[in-house]
Amino acid sequence: MIVYLEGEVIKKTPTYITLKTYGVGYGVNLSLLTAAKINKQDKVALLITQIIKEDSHKLYGFLEESEQILFEALIKVNGIGAASAMALLSSMDVTSLQSAIINENAKALCKAPGIGAKTASRLILELKDKIIKLGISAENNYYYEASEALLALGFKQDAVIKALKDINANSVSEVIKLALKKLS
């Protein structure tokens, strides 16, 4: 699985680049806001989320880890695919998107192409508590990563949220270790 790419931008459109890495060109989808920070012939390093389906293999690139984490949270919401998640991240920055979800501002979410009132409501319902309780932000994303790991281990979401609530740690592994003590 591809999780990181570094290379030279040899082709650029508003939401897509071709990144040349050791003689291989990778097509990478970007949000409009990320693409605006990149110029043709720049050397860039991107965090990558790879989505593999029966009929396609796509790469999504991010300059900041917080944007990647929010993208991955968005695509887990029922009815939100990668295109809708990128539309949301193209219409507002990470902080604004988090704020819109936390403050239940469905109107702001509906400004993104393809996001209607029902989808905005679902986003708010499914992500608000996660963003608030797990501290998804540019500075504090290891709580989110730890929660995903604990959920993958089979713990229930309510139990994970309770376990992570009062933990004060500085790394993902430390958060997981302390949460596992609470969960056992």
Side-chain angles (χ1 to χ4, degrees):
M1 176 177 271
I2 299 170
V3 296
Y4 174 86
L5 285 173
E6 187 175 333
E8 179 185 352
V9 178
I10 57 173
K11 182 181 177 188
K12 181 183 176 216
T13 67
T15 60
Y16 184 86
I17 61 169
T18 301
L19 190 65
K20 181 180 174 186
T21 303
Y22 296 107
V24 178
Y26 293 93
V28 183
N29 296 286
L30 307 169
S31 70
L32 284 171
L33 299 176
T34 298
K37 298 175 187 174
I38 297 173
N39 295 311
K40 192 173 178 190
Q41 298 179 335
D42 276 357
K43 296 245 185 230
V44 298
L46 296 172
L47 299 165
I48 300 293
T49 296
Q50 182 177 15
I51 298 178
I52 300 172
K53 295 183 179 179
E54 286 181 19
D55 59 344
S56 68
H57 295 247
K58 293 187 178 181
L59 303 176
Y60 296 87
F62 309 93
L63 290 171
E64 298 172 11
E65 190 176 18
S66 59
E67 185 181 27
Q68 181 184 34
I69 288 170
L70 189 54
F71 172 80
E72 290 174 357
L74 288 166
I75 62 175
K76 288 180 182 173
V77 174
N78 188 24
I80 301 289
S84 296
M86 289 308 258
L88 281 161
L89 290 167
S90 292
S91 64
M92 59 184 86
D93 62 36
V94 171
T95 307
S96 301
L97 183 52
Q98 290 173 335
S99 178
I101 293 168
I102 290 169
N103 296 318
E104 300 183 18
N105 187 350
K107 273 189 175 181
L109 296 172
C110 288
K111 289 181 182 175
I115 305 297
K118 285 182 182 179
T119 304
S121 296
R122 191 177 313 116
L123 274 170
I124 291 166
L125 180 69
E126 292 189 32
L127 293 180
K128 180 180 177 179
D129 287 342
K130 238 181 200 182
I131 290 171
I132 292 170
K133 293 180 181 173
L134 302 178
I136 301 172
S137 70
E139 303 82 30
N140 202 9
N141 58 40
Y142 44 82
Y143 286 93
Y144 176 75
E145 291 177 29
S147 74
E148 292 297 307
L150 293 167
L151 291 170
L153 290 172
F155 291 102
K156 300 287 184 207
Q157 186 170 4
D158 292 345
V160 170
I161 289 170
K162 272 185 190 175
L164 293 176
K165 190 171 185 178
D166 296 321
I167 290 178
N168 196 3
N170 295 320
S171 70
V172 175
S173 60
E174 193 177 344
V175 172
I176 292 172
K177 196 181 298 181
L178 294 170
L180 284 171
K181 285 181 183 177
K182 287 182 172 185
L183 290 165
S184 59

